[in-house]
Amino acid sequence: MTATGSDEYSQVLAERIEEFILDADRNAGRSQQKAIGPSEVGEPCERQLSYKMLDWPETNENRDPIAAIIGTGFHMWMAEKFEARQSVMADGTSRYRIEERVTVRDSPLEAARLTGSSDLYDRLAQLNYDWKLVGKSSHDKYRRQGPGEKYRVQAHLYGLGQENAGHPPARVAVVFVGRHHELMVHVWSEPYDRTVAEQALARLDRIRARVMELDPEANPEQWSAIPTPEKPNCRFCPWLKPGSTDLSQGCPGAVTANAGASLQALIA
């Protein structure tokens, strides 16, 4: 993140605008969200999920919010345009459910309850969409390799949320739109399978039970027993702290459960 200006006055203005953007992002609804949402359940890094579950203080001071801000704007634009093209079906219901809150799993225990906002559900096609605005290299990766487990899980979790709302989807889709100077759209979709969502929720419960068992709040040394994946994506993790040797103060990057004290700084 760098603010630049053509002269001293312009430089000051640039710095003020940059700080305004950063401050507004820090206080935005999504930034303030403490509960795990559908977009995070499929995160392959158990340590990142564990930090989130315990509402651990974030340590990554180098996360650039502009991509997420642009993505939020794109979601708002898509919602507005689909609302403008809303139609009524033969049964009198609206065709599109746009940015509707859905309950993926209800529970008297707040930690176990999972809700989220589904981007778009098409009642006529019985299809749930999730929009992803991505850079060109990421767009190419998803086109070649598929959506990855995290986005796939998210798609089926929202499918389960729609099913719980009385709108079981036939398919789920993740739409990757390239954040580039020309329009590039890639769609991944597959038949909805609630088993994918249920297995992801069961994994999340196992991770939560493990965290409660280890109790790293009272036993900071137990953070090293919570594993990271072999190939993590650490760059945008809120708890990344390169060079950290104290996991209670932040994670240095890719560390296996057996690494013990020999922590290596790695930004994936």
Side-chain angles (χ1 to χ4, degrees), residues 53-70:
M53 289 171 181
L54 295 175
D55 191 23
W56 213 251
E58 296 184 5
T59 59
N60 189 348
E61 300 178 351
N62 296 315
R63 287 191 299 157
D64 191 327
I66 197 63
I69 292 170
I70 294 172

Side-chain angles (χ1 to χ4, degrees), residues 242-255:
S244 173
T245 57
D246 181 355
L247 292 175
S248 69
Q249 300 300 311
C251 180
V255 182

Side-chain angles (χ1 to χ4, degrees), residues 54-213:
L54 295 175
D55 191 23
W56 213 251
E58 296 184 5
T59 59
N60 189 348
E61 300 178 351
N62 296 315
R63 287 191 299 157
D64 191 327
I66 197 63
I69 292 170
I70 294 172
T72 298
F74 177 75
H75 277 69
M76 293 171 62
W77 187 86
M78 291 291 280
E80 177 186 321
K81 298 310 174 186
F82 269 97
E83 191 63 56
R85 299 191 180 193
Q86 183 68 276
S87 59
V88 178
M89 298 174 60
D91 62 1
T93 61
S94 299
R95 175 175 177 176
Y96 300 119
R97 284 168 52 85
I98 305 167
E99 293 289 345
E100 293 275 357
R101 296 291 298 182
V102 294
T103 298
V104 177
R105 179 171 66 178
D106 203 358
S107 172
L109 298 176
E110 185 176 351
R113 194 167 186 265
L114 185 66
T115 64
S117 180
S118 174
D119 293 343
L120 181 74
Y121 179 75
D122 184 341
R123 284 191 176 96
L124 184 61
Q126 293 183 292
L127 177 60
N128 195 79
Y129 291 94
D130 198 275
W131 316 126
K132 300 296 180 189
L133 194 65
V134 298
K136 187 177 186 304
S137 60
S138 293
H139 188 275
D140 290 342
K141 182 185 74 172
Y142 295 129
R143 180 174 52 80
R144 294 193 309 268
Q145 302 176 13
E149 192 62 15
K150 185 174 180 178
Y151 286 161
R152 179 172 182 257
V153 163
Q154 180 182 354
H156 287 280
L157 286 171
Y158 277 121
L160 178 56
Q162 296 291 0
E163 180 181 353
N164 291 338
H167 309 285
R171 296 185 72 89
V172 294
V174 180
V175 181
F176 297 99
V177 179
R179 192 175 62 246
H180 198 50
H181 66 270
E182 61 181 352
L183 182 62
M184 298 183 299
V185 178
H186 170 68
V187 176
W188 168 90
S189 73
E190 70 179 13
Y192 165 61
D193 183 353
R194 68 175 299 159
T195 303
V196 175
E198 291 171 342
Q199 289 176 345
L201 292 171
R203 171 182 176 262
L204 189 68
D205 291 341
R206 289 194 297 271
I207 293 173
R208 181 177 288 109
R210 179 70 168 155
V211 172
M212 296 301 104
E213 176 188 347

